[in-house]
Every structure is written in C-alpha cells, then in structure tokens.
Amino acid sequence: MVRRRFRPSPPAMAAAVVAVIAGLGVGLSMIRDRGVPVPVVKGAPERSVAASFATPRWGTFPDLFQAGVKSLREGRPADAERDLVTAVALVPHVPEAYVNLGFARLDLGLWKAAERAFQRAVDLRPGQANAYYGLAMSLEQQKDLAGARGAMLTYLHLTREDDPYRRKAMAALWEWEAKPPSAGRTSERDGSAAPAVHRAGAAAFFDLVLPRIGGGTESMRAFSGRVVVVNFWATWCPPCRAELPSLQRLAGKLGTQRFAVIGISIDTDAGFTGEFLREAGVRYPNYFDSAGRVTRFMRTAGALPLTLLIDAGGRVREQIVGIRDWTAPEMLARIRRLDDADTDDRARAAASGSATVPGGGQ
C-alpha cells in the first residue's frame, strides 16, 4: 500500500479536477455538433487491470468520469478504475481522467499501471501538476527514487506556494535524499540505466568528446569561450520531453555568439532518438552519453531532466533539476549573468596584462 504520508485524500484530489467536468458535457456536445475531430492519444488503449473480470459499464464520458471520481472518494478503487478506463476509451484526450485513473491504481497497488496513467496525463498536458505528484508516488513504490525525485521536483516547480500538498512533497524529498542513491532507472525499451551526474572540476566539460546524434563525434571544446546550457534528458522521461520546446526557444533567444544550448541524451538507440528530435522540432546540438563518458567527471544524482549552466571556462556554476520555462525572465537573467561575469574576468585579465584569458584561449 502507498504510505499515508504521500497519499492525498481522494476527495481532495478529485475536487481539484471535477470542475473540469462541469461543462464537459456541453463541450463534447459542441464538438460533435460542429464535426470537429476528437484528438486520439497515440499508443495502445488502456485496459482495466483490477476490474477486467467485471461487466463493463457504458455511458457518456461525463457520467463515467463522475462515477469514477465518486467511487474513488468512497474507497472503491476497483470500481473507479473500471469506469475511468471506459471513460478514457471514449474520450482519450482529457488528462484529468488519467490522473484519477492513476490514483485509483495506486490505491490498488498497481504501481506500473499507475505510472502509465500519470505519464499519459503528462503527455497530454505537461503542466498537469498533480500528475507529477502521482508519478513520483508510483515510481517510489517501484524503488526508482531518482525518477521519483525528478517528478516531485517538477511538481513543486509547477505548484503555487500555498498548495496544500507542497509540505508532503517536501517531506518526501527529504526522506528520499536521506537514502543511498540508486543505480538509476532502467528503460523498458532498451535496458539502459540513467547515469548519475554532479558538479565537475574546472574545464572538465571542455575535455569531453561525445558522439553526436545524427553521426560523428565532436569535442566540447567547440563551445569553449561561451556560456553553455547542457540539458541531460531521455526520450522515456516525460518531463524531459515536455522541456525540449522551451530549450529550443532559449537557443533562439540567446544566439550562438556568446552562448550555446546543447542536449546530452542517455538513450542508446541513435536512430530512434534522432527521429524523435526531428519530429519535436529540436535543432540545437544533441549528443549521446550511453557509454558513460560524462560520468567520469560527474557524480550521480540520477534525476532527470537535469540542466547544467557552465561558464566560458568550463566550470559548472549551477545544477537545475526538473522542468523549467527557460525563456522566463528570471531564467534568462541567470544565464546572462554568467556571461557578464566572464566578461568582467576578461577585462581584469586584460588590465593585468595576462596572456591567457579564462575560457578564451591564448
């Protein structure tokens, strides 16, 4: 069972989303009347895990959703799962339905099935905060503390300071941080484990040579003299996928003269990852670390996504865990301050007659 420290009461979580359904019947009616096609979520349809033996219930999406929420509130998670599975089969693009399905499966102890439901909610709406909370709970039960930390940090980033579950989320993080780090999450697709990362010594980043997605290898010295935003990610990580468009916009805003934005994927399938990036419209450079080259100068922290801000001299100045809006004014300011600091260093070096400028070569 899920420990009560993390478990939000079903009425509280359900109340947060039931308002969405209040006007949903009208909305669906308008869609049908206007002939607008309902978007379909890619992937296999959900099947009821706990209630597969029961007679399916049929009805409208709002009726099934409300019945599922009611069952969840009344402590009948098997009934809730049955109704919500039917609901998402009828209308597969409402993230709140998948969130409630995930919490029903948590109550049933179906950790992997719960994880799938929460990930589907995140795919549909990357800003669905309570989906990350549930995702963290399901990953913890599967002993994936690195993934749980990443999901819970994203939840905290997305929620308001007065959110009633922030204190529970912080308590969870404190407990997880006190435990020994795990070896990382194993991908179901290719068996690869997420490598762990940490702060590097001066100039260590520019000593790396990594395989580039799309073919060939490249030395990170190509970025020497610039402030570099390095994003560690994986195709199987929902927050990572959600963050990619923001990083692409960041690359456009910063330009390439004084800054660089790059990605380092921990996937192992080059063809799949390259195709994924093309479909996502990601054009900034991306590399592989499937062989663990980066881990030679970084200690494991495990959680993804993880972004390093590296100054022009190759020193890691900041580590940022979890999804961010990289074009928000405060994030742009943090990055540009590193360039300002490097400019000041160069000015002091020039004034002192130094032959070598930090990060700038001879």
Side-chain angles (χ1 to χ4, degrees):
M1 292 296 292
V2 179
R3 287 177 296 189
R4 309 309 290 183
R5 170 172 56 76
F6 304 125
R7 183 70 175 96
S9 62
M13 275 294 182
V17 300
V18 76
V20 175
I21 302 305
L24 192 54
V26 174
L28 294 177
S29 174
M30 291 171 64
I31 288 174
R32 287 193 296 268
D33 292 345
R34 295 179 184 179
V36 178
V38 175
V40 177
V41 179
K42 293 182 179 180
E46 287 284 349
R47 292 185 299 170
S48 178
V49 178
S52 58
F53 57 85
T55 302
R57 281 166 53 95
W58 300 101
T60 66
F61 176 87
D63 289 343
L64 288 163
F65 181 91
Q66 290 177 349
V69 171
K70 183 174 184 291
S71 295
L72 198 56
R73 286 173 169 171
E74 294 174 354
R76 294 181 286 111
D79 291 342
E81 197 225 13
R82 177 197 61 195
D83 290 337
L84 291 166
V85 163
T86 307
V88 299
L90 290 173
V91 181
H93 65 286
V94 179
E96 291 83 1
Y98 288 100
V99 170
N100 280 276
L101 176 59
F103 281 113
R105 288 173 170 175
L106 282 179
D107 272 355
L108 293 166
L110 302 170
W111 318 128
K112 189 64 182 177
E115 179 193 351
R116 288 198 303 269
F118 290 126
Q119 286 189 341
R120 187 70 63 85
V122 169
D123 288 340
L124 288 167
R125 184 181 297 155
Q128 187 76 32
N130 54 358
Y132 289 103
Y133 190 104
L135 182 61
M137 294 164 65
S138 64
L139 292 173
E140 188 222 8
Q141 295 298 324
Q142 297 176 75
K143 312 302 182 186
D144 181 6
L145 296 188
R149 281 195 295 267
M152 197 63 87
L153 284 166
T154 303
Y155 166 79
L156 290 169
H157 175 69
L158 292 172
T159 54
R160 304 184 311 272
E161 291 295 328
D162 61 350
D163 185 278
Y165 292 102
R166 284 185 67 88
R167 296 180 70 178
K168 294 182 180 180
M170 292 300 299
L173 286 171
W174 291 332
E175 179 177 321
W176 296 338
E177 292 294 340
K179 293 182 179 180
S182 62
R185 170 83 181 267
T186 298
S187 167
E188 291 181 352
R189 223 170 53 74
D190 55 33
S192 61
V197 290
H198 79 109
R199 296 179 82 90
F205 174 74
F206 292 140
D207 292 335
L208 291 172
V209 177
L210 293 174
R212 184 161 181 168
I213 296 176
T217 60
E218 190 168 12
S219 169
M220 297 300 100
R221 289 203 176 277
F223 304 106
S224 179
R226 287 183 274 176
V227 173
V228 188
V229 179
V230 184
N231 177 250
F232 292 86
W233 70 286
T235 57
W236 47 256
C237 163
C240 301
R241 299 196 302 267
E243 192 175 39
L244 293 175
S246 177
L247 287 161
Q248 180 59 53
R249 292 192 296 272
L250 174 67
K253 282 183 175 292
L254 293 177
T256 58
Q257 184 176 2
R258 304 291 308 152
F259 302 92
V261 176
I262 71 170
I264 298 180
S265 168
I266 64 171
D267 290 288
T268 58
D269 187 331
F272 176 84
T273 307
E275 181 181 352
F276 176 87
L277 289 169
R278 285 192 295 273
E279 291 183 355
V282 175
R283 298 180 298 279
Y284 56 82
N286 263 269
Y287 304 86
F288 276 121
D289 186 40
S290 57
R293 291 179 175 88
V294 176
T295 62
R296 285 203 294 267
F297 74 103
M298 291 182 164
R299 213 178 297 170
T300 71
L304 293 176
L306 181 137
T307 304
L308 306 182
L309 303 185
I310 297 177
D311 68 15
R315 294 173 291 270
V316 177
R317 293 301 182 92
E318 283 196 61
Q319 291 190 82
I320 300 171
V321 179
I323 189 172
R324 294 291 186 273
D325 177 2
W326 287 99
T327 56
E330 63 273 17
M331 299 308 297
L332 287 168
R334 285 165 75 171
I335 297 167
R336 286 172 171 151
R337 273 198 298 271
L338 293 179
D339 183 53
D340 293 340
D342 288 333
T343 301
D344 292 342
D345 288 342
R346 290 187 180 89
R348 282 193 292 271
S352 65
S354 172
T356 301
V357 179
Q362 297 292 324

